[in-house]
Amino acid sequence: MPLSQNHNWMLLKDILNNHQEDCCGSQSECEQLERTTMSLMRQPDVDETTMSVLQEIYQYSQSGIHAANLENHIESHQQKLAGWVEDITQYS
């Protein structure tokens, strides 16, 4: 059974919040971020501002998947992570 749009927002928020709080993560989490973000980007009711945030998160996930040092990647995005979590709170 596929996740609802609300569940996708909650999943995205949880993973990003964990990256922000723990300053670490896994490649599989970045892959999940990628899949979840793509699912949300395909929704017909996504406005331009939300799409911009989702595109940034997608780029973050892509870079994380291919990062030589994922912890450094996560640490270098701490401000962005906090902002994305705050933004997603408004969407979910």
Side-chain angles (χ1 to χ4, degrees):
M1 176 166 80
L3 293 175
S4 70
Q5 188 172 353
N6 190 45
H7 286 117
N8 279 327
W9 282 116
M10 290 181 349
L11 177 61
L12 201 63
K13 181 180 172 183
D14 285 345
I15 295 171
L16 292 172
N17 194 46
N18 287 343
H19 282 200
Q20 199 250 333
E21 288 180 356
D22 301 339
C23 290
C24 65
S26 67
Q27 182 179 5
S28 63
E29 287 175 335
C30 290
E31 291 167 349
Q32 182 66 51
L33 281 173
E34 177 188 47
R35 288 188 301 272
T36 305
T37 303
M38 284 303 297
S39 176
L40 289 166
M41 289 169 71
R42 289 186 191 114
Q43 298 300 315
D45 60 341
V46 175
D47 64 40
E48 197 172 307
T49 303
T50 305
M51 184 63 79
S52 176
V53 171
L54 289 170
Q55 288 171 337
E56 287 179 18
I57 295 169
Y58 182 80
Q59 288 297 324
Y60 168 79
S61 68
Q62 284 286 290
S63 298
I65 290 169
H66 302 291
N69 186 322
L70 184 54
E71 282 73 29
N72 284 345
H73 171 71
I74 292 169
E75 286 178 25
S76 70
H77 286 84
Q78 283 299 297
Q79 274 192 317
K80 284 286 193 182
L81 288 164
W84 294 332
V85 168
E86 187 175 313
D87 290 339
I88 290 169
T89 300
Q90 297 173 25
Y91 307 142
S92 57

